[in-house]
Structure formats: structure tokens, C-alpha cells
Amino acid sequence: MQLTMVFLILLLLLYANALQPVALLTGATGRTGQLVTNLMLDQGFRCNIFCRNEQRAREIFHGKSNIEFFQGELINHDDIQAAFDNTKQQKLSHVVYMAGGDNIDYKCVNYQAVAAFAEEAAKCETMRHFVVVSTAWATKPYSIASLLFNSMYIDTVPMASHYLGEQAVRKAASMNENLNYVVLRATGLNSDENYAKKYPDAVSMELTYQQGDNFDFFGIAGKPGMSRNQLANAIVSAVNVEGRYTVEVTGSGTVERTDSSVYERLILDEAEVTLNEEDEIYDAHVVAVKRLKNTAITASLIGIAFVGLFGWSQGLFLFFSFDAAIIFVWSVFFAKKQAL
């Protein structure tokens, strides 16, 4: 009798393990990633963490069960392949790609590594869901956000890299009819503490979803944006979505942050997706930055001319008025029309 009970318990444990969803996560040790990982563990996921520093990752998630660590570099395809090979034995079902941050090689992290993960995911028979965190305005090289961000990191052109990463996911999904994906374009991210202090009225609000990459930079997507807690919940609510979606998300809305039914009201990505060439996308963003610089130089020369013609007081007033007009025209007309 006792042997029978032990046997039945073992069978139940094996059955439970077979049903447990298994996810491979990048960026899990980051501030948003830690929130996402803990939420997924609470929902019964087995989380496999791809990380650069395994010791630090173990310290962060000390005491947590149903978690495993794979140390590797996003720049190294062999490391990525090894992580997939190890997790395939556990019937890997999900990938959540959150790697990013400031002062990184955006071309590597947000394009090439995303492409490598998507390619491996498409080859995995048990894979069903891929979520990648991207950014709004990735398709708008002339938007204020893209110009500011690309100007800061022109060597790796972050907005172009994000868009190419998105395209890589769509391409991989075209090779695996069972692979669902959500490209989640986040905007205006703040720490929870700063968000509560700077935007107390927005803390109690929920999420805003949109499609078409048409968020207004001077609207809620720019300020107040969203908190890390809001983004983390938006990511987790996307992990089991059936279908293929590209959406923008920010705060100041009415959609509950854990509500995945919002996707039922959104539009699926087209089955046949036109993929732009890599050089075409990078060139579009780089040219936009060059034109911004040329415009800034021209505006400065006009400003000097105003001061020379009308004196400091009136000249500066005309100069700032002229600059404001340029920014307005650029944001209203160019930013929305010049899309990839």
C-alpha cells in the first residue's frame, strides 16, 4: 500500500512538472526584470534566467524555487544556443526578452541578440509564446524621441536597433506557425518611487494601449509615462496571449495592468509582413539625425543674425520664437509622416 502511494505521488509530481510552463528570460536581474520574474514565479512558471553574472543573479533570487540560471553573453550565439538546448529538455514554452538599459551596445542587445533568441525559439517544437520589450517611436526616425535617443548613441542607433529586433521576431514567427508573439513598445519608464513623487495623480491609474506607433511625445507617453510596476504587469499579462501583436503601452489609462483581454480588442499583425532591409532602416534613422543637426546649425545662424539686426533683447525673443516654431512644425508634420 505504501509503495503504491509513493508511486502515485511520483506520477502526480511528474504530471505536474509536465504541465508547468517553462520560460527563458533575459534582463531578469534588472529592476523591471526582477518584478516580472517574481510575478511569473507566483503564477507557476519555471523561470530560466539568462544572465551575465550568475552569482549576482543567485543573490537577487536567493531562496526562490522553480528557478535556474544560465550564464552567458548576449553577443555570443553559442551561449544563447546552449541556454535553449538545456531548457528544451524541460519543454521550453515561453521566451520573455527584456534585456536593455543605458550605455549598452543597442545593436547587439536589442537587434542581434533578439534575432538570435527569436531564431532559436522558432526552431523549438514546444515553444508557444515570445514577448519582447521594445520602444515606441521605433518606426518614426523623425520623432522627437527617436532624434533625442539616436543623437545620444549614434554609433549603435538604438531606435533603429529596436525596430530591427522587432522585425527579427516577426521573421522568426513566419517560420513557426505555432509561435505567438507580442512586441510590447514601452514608453516613458520611471522607477516606482519617482513616479509616485512626480506624478501622484497618475499612480492610481492603469494602462493605455495603442497601435500604429502614434503616441504623442508631448502627451501621456512622454509625461507621466509609466512606472516599472505597470510595465512589469503589462509584460506578464502578454506572456500567454494567443496571436501576434505589436502594441504601444504607457500609463494614465483605464486598462487594468493585469488584464490580458485587452488584446481581444486589438488588431493582429498582418500575416504577410514586409521586412525592411537592415541598411535601409539604419540609414533612415542616421539621416534623420543629420538633418536635425543641420536644422539646429541653421537655426543658430539665424539666431545670431536676429541678435545682430535687432539687438540682444528683441533678437533673442525672435530666435526662441523661431526655434519654437521649428519644433512645433517638426513634431506635428515630420515626426508623424516620416515613418518606416
Side-chain angles (χ1 to χ4, degrees):
M1 184 67 177
Q2 289 181 339
L3 286 175
T4 303
M5 288 296 295
V6 170
F7 181 70
L8 287 173
I9 290 171
L10 288 173
L11 282 178
L12 287 172
L13 288 173
L14 288 171
Y15 181 70
N17 285 333
L19 293 178
Q20 185 180 34
V22 180
L24 179 60
L25 293 82
T26 70
T29 58
R31 287 169 291 179
T32 304
Q34 291 179 44
L35 296 173
V36 170
T37 304
N38 286 321
L39 286 170
M40 292 183 70
L41 288 171
D42 291 342
Q43 291 188 11
F45 277 85
R46 179 174 183 80
C47 293
N48 296 283
I49 308 301
F50 186 93
C51 53
R52 294 182 63 186
N53 188 329
E54 183 176 339
Q55 182 178 350
R56 178 174 177 269
R58 288 186 179 278
E59 291 172 357
I60 289 172
F61 297 106
H62 178 70
K64 297 285 184 179
S65 57
N66 286 322
I67 194 165
E68 195 169 341
F69 303 93
F70 298 96
Q71 182 167 306
E73 295 285 344
L74 290 171
I75 199 171
N76 191 323
H77 200 133
D78 290 339
D79 290 345
I80 295 170
Q81 188 172 11
F84 272 89
D85 289 342
N86 287 328
T87 50
K88 281 178 184 176
Q89 300 172 7
Q90 304 169 11
K91 296 187 176 179
L92 179 64
S93 55
H94 294 68
V95 167
V96 181
Y97 195 101
M98 302 174 286
D102 298 325
N103 300 313
I104 61 172
D105 184 339
Y106 292 96
K107 187 173 184 178
C108 168
V109 174
N110 295 121
Y111 168 34
Q112 294 168 340
V114 173
F117 269 79
E119 181 183 335
E120 292 297 327
K123 293 188 292 186
C124 181
E125 293 182 0
T126 57
M127 180 63 60
R128 293 296 177 266
H129 298 276
F130 196 111
V131 177
V132 59
V133 179
S134 184
T135 179
W137 305 295
T139 66
K140 302 292 176 68
Y142 287 85
S143 68
I144 301 298
S146 282
L147 289 167
L148 290 174
F149 206 16
N150 286 335
S151 297
M152 293 169 61
Y153 306 100
I154 193 62
D155 290 339
T156 55
V157 200
M159 302 301 268
S161 298
H162 273 293
Y163 183 57
L164 284 164
E166 296 180 9
Q167 294 283 61
V169 173
R170 298 183 187 106
K171 181 180 179 181
S174 69
M175 298 184 291
N176 184 341
E177 62 180 9
N178 295 316
L179 182 59
N180 304 284
Y181 70 74
V182 173
V183 174
L184 198 62
R185 293 170 170 167
T187 66
L189 188 60
N190 297 272
S191 69
D192 292 344
E193 297 79 10
N194 288 339
Y195 196 70
K197 291 177 182 178
K198 292 166 62 178
Y199 311 110
D201 294 338
V203 171
S204 60
M205 300 181 74
E206 297 295 335
L207 297 175
T208 298
Y209 286 87
Q210 187 171 302
Q211 291 179 291
D213 207 6
N214 287 317
F215 266 139
D216 185 354
F217 180 73
F218 296 106
I220 58 172
K223 288 184 179 181
M226 66 194 306
S227 68
R228 292 190 181 279
N229 181 274
Q230 287 176 320
L231 176 57
N233 278 278
I235 294 169
V236 175
S237 71
V239 295
N240 287 317
V241 168
E242 297 290 329
R244 297 170 176 180
Y245 294 90
T246 300
V247 301
E248 295 84 54
V249 63
T250 193
S252 301
T254 58
V255 179
E256 291 186 13
R257 60 194 70 184
T258 58
D259 183 10
S260 61
S261 67
V262 64
Y263 287 90
E264 298 171 7
R265 305 188 292 276
L266 297 175
I267 300 172
L268 288 160
D269 282 1
E270 294 180 7
E272 297 292 330
V273 180
T274 302
L275 302 177
N276 303 83
E277 294 294 330
E278 178 180 333
D279 289 343
E280 178 187 354
I281 293 171
Y282 275 117
D283 287 347
H285 282 267
V286 171
V287 167
V289 172
K290 288 180 178 178
R291 287 179 177 172
L292 174 66
K293 290 180 178 179
N294 290 337
T295 302
I297 292 170
T298 303
S300 298
L301 293 174
I302 291 173
I304 293 171
F306 280 149
V307 171
L309 288 171
F310 302 103
W312 282 103
S313 180
Q314 191 174 359
L316 287 174
F317 173 78
L318 290 171
F319 170 59
F320 287 124
S321 298
F322 181 71
D323 273 2
I326 290 176
I327 293 171
F328 174 78
V329 170
W330 192 295
S331 63
V332 172
F333 297 100
F334 291 97
K336 294 182 179 180
K337 289 184 179 179
Q338 300 284 352
L340 292 170

